[in-house]
Short mmCIF file of all heavy atoms in Angstrom, two decimals:
data_model
loop_
_atom_site.label_atom_id
_atom_site.label_comp_id
_atom_site.label_asym_id
_atom_site.label_seq_id
_atom_site.Cartn_x
_atom_site.Cartn_y
_atom_site.Cartn_z
N VAL A 47 169.53 125.02 173.53
CA VAL A 47 169.64 125.92 172.16
C VAL A 47 169.33 124.96 171.09
O VAL A 47 168.58 125.35 170.14
CB VAL A 47 170.89 126.59 172.11
CG1 VAL A 47 171.08 127.25 170.75
CG2 VAL A 47 170.99 127.74 173.14
N PHE A 48 170.04 123.81 171.02
CA PHE A 48 169.78 122.89 169.96
C PHE A 48 168.40 122.44 169.83
O PHE A 48 167.76 122.23 168.62
CB PHE A 48 170.75 121.68 170.05
CG PHE A 48 172.18 121.97 169.68
CD1 PHE A 48 173.15 121.24 170.38
CD2 PHE A 48 172.52 123.05 168.76
CE1 PHE A 48 174.55 121.58 169.96
CE2 PHE A 48 173.87 123.23 168.59
CZ PHE A 48 174.78 122.49 169.20
N TRP A 49 167.65 122.18 170.97
CA TRP A 49 166.29 121.73 170.92
C TRP A 49 165.38 122.79 170.38
O TRP A 49 164.44 122.58 169.62
CB TRP A 49 165.83 121.45 172.32
CG TRP A 49 166.09 119.90 172.68
CD1 TRP A 49 167.09 119.46 173.45
CD2 TRP A 49 165.54 118.77 172.09
NE1 TRP A 49 167.03 118.02 173.50
CE2 TRP A 49 166.03 117.69 172.66
CE3 TRP A 49 164.47 118.56 171.22
CZ2 TRP A 49 165.70 116.35 172.33
CZ3 TRP A 49 163.99 117.26 170.87
CH2 TRP A 49 164.71 116.18 171.45
N VAL A 50 165.62 124.09 170.82
CA VAL A 50 164.91 125.13 170.28
C VAL A 50 165.04 125.28 168.69
O VAL A 50 164.07 125.50 167.92
CB VAL A 50 165.29 126.55 170.98
CG1 VAL A 50 164.63 127.75 170.24
CG2 VAL A 50 164.85 126.47 172.44
N CYS A 51 166.31 125.12 168.25
CA CYS A 51 166.62 125.23 166.75
C CYS A 51 165.91 123.99 166.16
O CYS A 51 165.36 124.19 164.93
CB CYS A 51 168.03 125.14 166.53
SG CYS A 51 168.85 126.65 167.00
N ALA A 52 165.77 122.86 166.70
CA ALA A 52 165.15 121.71 166.16
C ALA A 52 163.68 121.94 165.94
O ALA A 52 163.10 121.70 164.99
CB ALA A 52 165.38 120.60 166.98
N VAL A 53 163.01 122.55 167.03
CA VAL A 53 161.64 122.78 166.93
C VAL A 53 161.29 123.88 165.87
O VAL A 53 160.37 123.72 165.12
CB VAL A 53 161.11 123.25 168.30
CG1 VAL A 53 159.74 123.79 168.24
CG2 VAL A 53 161.17 122.10 169.30
N ILE A 54 162.16 124.93 165.66
CA ILE A 54 161.94 125.94 164.80
C ILE A 54 162.06 125.31 163.34
O ILE A 54 161.31 125.54 162.54
CB ILE A 54 162.85 127.05 164.96
CG1 ILE A 54 162.55 127.80 166.23
CG2 ILE A 54 162.97 128.04 163.72
CD1 ILE A 54 163.51 128.95 166.62
N SER A 55 163.09 124.41 163.24
CA SER A 55 163.30 123.82 161.78
C SER A 55 162.09 122.85 161.54
O SER A 55 161.62 122.87 160.28
CB SER A 55 164.59 122.97 161.96
OG SER A 55 165.69 123.76 162.14
N ILE A 56 161.63 122.13 162.47
CA ILE A 56 160.44 121.32 162.17
C ILE A 56 159.23 122.07 161.77
O ILE A 56 158.54 121.77 160.85
CB ILE A 56 160.23 120.36 163.43
CG1 ILE A 56 161.25 119.28 163.49
CG2 ILE A 56 158.76 119.66 163.20
CD1 ILE A 56 161.14 118.50 164.75
N VAL A 57 158.89 123.26 162.56
CA VAL A 57 157.73 123.98 162.26
C VAL A 57 157.93 124.64 160.83
O VAL A 57 156.97 124.65 160.00
CB VAL A 57 157.51 125.21 163.33
CG1 VAL A 57 156.57 126.10 162.97
CG2 VAL A 57 157.14 124.56 164.59
N LEU A 58 159.13 125.14 160.51
CA LEU A 58 159.37 125.76 159.21
C LEU A 58 159.14 124.73 158.12
O LEU A 58 158.73 125.08 157.03
CB LEU A 58 160.64 126.51 159.15
CG LEU A 58 160.87 127.79 159.88
CD1 LEU A 58 162.22 128.24 159.87
CD2 LEU A 58 159.91 128.85 159.37
N GLY A 59 159.75 123.49 158.34
CA GLY A 59 159.61 122.43 157.48
C GLY A 59 158.01 122.14 157.14
O GLY A 59 157.68 121.95 155.98
N LEU A 60 157.24 122.05 158.18
CA LEU A 60 155.90 121.74 157.99
C LEU A 60 155.13 122.82 157.24
O LEU A 60 154.30 122.57 156.40
CB LEU A 60 155.16 121.49 159.39
CG LEU A 60 155.58 120.15 160.01
CD1 LEU A 60 155.03 120.16 161.44
CD2 LEU A 60 155.00 119.03 159.21
N VAL A 61 155.55 124.08 157.58
CA VAL A 61 154.90 125.27 156.92
C VAL A 61 155.27 125.27 155.45
O VAL A 61 154.38 125.43 154.52
CB VAL A 61 155.26 126.53 157.55
CG1 VAL A 61 154.84 127.71 156.66
CG2 VAL A 61 154.58 126.66 158.91
N MET A 62 156.48 124.91 155.05
CA MET A 62 157.05 125.00 153.68
C MET A 62 156.36 123.91 152.86
O MET A 62 155.98 124.12 151.74
CB MET A 62 158.63 124.93 153.62
CG MET A 62 159.12 126.18 154.13
SD MET A 62 160.93 126.00 154.05
CE MET A 62 161.26 126.13 152.42
N VAL A 63 156.23 122.66 153.43
CA VAL A 63 155.65 121.52 152.69
C VAL A 63 154.26 121.81 152.40
O VAL A 63 153.69 121.24 151.31
CB VAL A 63 155.87 120.18 153.51
CG1 VAL A 63 155.20 119.06 152.87
CG2 VAL A 63 157.42 119.95 153.45
N ASN A 64 153.49 122.46 153.21
CA ASN A 64 151.96 122.55 152.96
C ASN A 64 151.76 123.83 152.08
O ASN A 64 150.48 124.16 152.01
CB ASN A 64 151.39 122.77 154.40
CG ASN A 64 151.28 121.56 155.11
OD1 ASN A 64 151.19 120.40 154.52
ND2 ASN A 64 151.29 121.59 156.47
N GLN A 65 152.60 124.43 151.51
CA GLN A 65 152.42 125.61 150.75
C GLN A 65 151.91 125.15 149.33
O GLN A 65 152.50 124.17 148.71
CB GLN A 65 153.66 126.53 150.53
CG GLN A 65 154.07 127.21 151.80
CD GLN A 65 153.02 128.25 152.30
OE1 GLN A 65 152.43 128.93 151.38
NE2 GLN A 65 152.89 128.25 153.55
N LYS A 66 150.87 125.71 148.83
CA LYS A 66 150.32 125.46 147.46
C LYS A 66 150.63 126.68 146.62
O LYS A 66 150.38 127.85 147.04
CB LYS A 66 148.90 125.19 147.58
CG LYS A 66 148.46 123.88 148.38
CD LYS A 66 148.96 122.60 147.75
CE LYS A 66 148.51 121.47 148.61
NZ LYS A 66 148.87 120.26 148.14
N ALA A 67 150.78 126.41 145.30
CA ALA A 67 150.88 127.62 144.32
C ALA A 67 149.50 128.00 144.06
O ALA A 67 148.48 127.24 144.00
CB ALA A 67 151.52 127.10 143.11
N PRO A 68 149.33 129.29 143.76
CA PRO A 68 147.94 129.96 143.58
C PRO A 68 147.46 129.42 142.15
O PRO A 68 148.28 129.21 141.19
CB PRO A 68 148.17 131.40 143.65
CG PRO A 68 149.64 131.58 143.37
CD PRO A 68 150.19 130.37 143.96
N ILE A 69 146.20 129.24 141.96
CA ILE A 69 145.68 128.87 140.74
C ILE A 69 145.45 130.14 139.95
O ILE A 69 144.73 131.08 140.28
CB ILE A 69 144.26 128.08 140.97
CG1 ILE A 69 144.48 126.80 141.76
CG2 ILE A 69 143.59 127.85 139.64
CD1 ILE A 69 143.25 126.10 142.21
N ARG A 70 146.02 130.07 138.70
CA ARG A 70 145.82 131.23 137.80
C ARG A 70 145.31 130.75 136.54
O ARG A 70 145.46 129.59 135.99
CB ARG A 70 147.26 131.78 137.54
CG ARG A 70 147.79 132.53 138.86
CD ARG A 70 149.06 133.23 138.55
NE ARG A 70 149.44 133.92 139.81
CZ ARG A 70 150.60 134.58 139.91
NH1 ARG A 70 151.34 134.63 138.96
NH2 ARG A 70 150.82 135.17 141.12
N HIS A 71 144.54 131.66 135.91
CA HIS A 71 143.72 131.41 134.65
C HIS A 71 144.25 132.55 133.65
O HIS A 71 144.29 133.66 133.93
CB HIS A 71 142.35 131.53 134.81
CG HIS A 71 141.71 130.67 135.86
ND1 HIS A 71 141.64 129.25 135.77
CD2 HIS A 71 141.29 131.05 137.21
CE1 HIS A 71 141.04 128.87 136.83
NE2 HIS A 71 140.96 129.75 137.81
N GLU A 72 144.57 131.98 132.35
CA GLU A 72 144.82 132.88 131.29
C GLU A 72 143.40 133.01 130.58
O GLU A 72 142.92 131.93 130.04
CB GLU A 72 145.91 132.43 130.37
CG GLU A 72 147.29 132.46 131.09
CD GLU A 72 148.36 131.99 130.19
OE1 GLU A 72 148.04 131.37 129.17
OE2 GLU A 72 149.46 132.22 130.59
N VAL A 73 142.83 134.19 130.37
CA VAL A 73 141.52 134.35 129.79
C VAL A 73 141.49 135.44 128.78
O VAL A 73 142.39 136.39 128.74
CB VAL A 73 140.46 134.58 130.88
CG1 VAL A 73 140.39 133.44 131.84
CG2 VAL A 73 140.71 135.78 131.57
N THR A 74 140.51 135.41 127.84
CA THR A 74 140.28 136.49 127.02
C THR A 74 138.74 136.95 127.30
O THR A 74 137.92 136.05 127.75
CB THR A 74 140.30 136.09 125.52
OG1 THR A 74 139.60 135.03 125.21
CG2 THR A 74 141.84 135.66 125.17
N LEU A 75 138.57 138.12 127.03
CA LEU A 75 137.25 138.61 127.24
C LEU A 75 136.49 138.75 125.92
O LEU A 75 137.01 139.23 124.85
CB LEU A 75 137.28 139.91 127.91
CG LEU A 75 137.81 139.95 129.36
CD1 LEU A 75 137.80 141.42 129.88
CD2 LEU A 75 136.98 139.09 130.34
N ARG A 76 135.16 138.46 125.96
CA ARG A 76 134.24 138.64 124.85
C ARG A 76 134.00 140.14 124.90
O ARG A 76 133.96 140.66 125.83
CB ARG A 76 133.04 137.76 124.95
CG ARG A 76 133.39 136.24 124.92
CD ARG A 76 132.20 135.53 125.04
NE ARG A 76 132.54 134.06 125.06
CZ ARG A 76 131.84 133.10 125.48
NH1 ARG A 76 130.65 133.40 125.97
NH2 ARG A 76 132.27 131.85 125.33
N PRO A 77 133.57 140.66 123.67
CA PRO A 77 133.21 142.11 123.63
C PRO A 77 132.01 142.48 124.65
O PRO A 77 131.03 141.67 124.66
CB PRO A 77 132.76 142.36 122.18
CG PRO A 77 133.62 141.17 121.45
CD PRO A 77 133.59 140.00 122.38
N GLY A 78 132.17 143.35 125.39
CA GLY A 78 131.04 143.91 126.29
C GLY A 78 131.17 143.14 127.57
O GLY A 78 130.38 143.56 128.49
N HIS A 79 132.03 142.29 127.91
CA HIS A 79 132.23 141.61 129.13
C HIS A 79 133.27 142.25 129.92
O HIS A 79 134.28 142.78 129.47
CB HIS A 79 132.41 140.06 129.03
CG HIS A 79 131.10 139.37 128.42
ND1 HIS A 79 130.91 139.40 127.07
CD2 HIS A 79 130.16 138.77 129.06
CE1 HIS A 79 129.75 138.64 126.92
NE2 HIS A 79 129.29 138.29 128.10
#
Side-chain angles (χ1 to χ4, degrees):
V47 169
F48 286 151
W49 274 105
V50 170
C51 291
V53 169
I54 290 171
S55 297
I56 290 171
V57 169
L58 287 176
L60 288 173
V61 168
M62 290 177 72
V63 168
N64 288 328
Q65 293 293 320
K66 301 283 184 187
I69 298 175
R70 293 187 175 173
H71 308 282
E72 292 179 350
V73 298
T74 57
L75 293 178
R76 294 180 183 160
H79 290 84

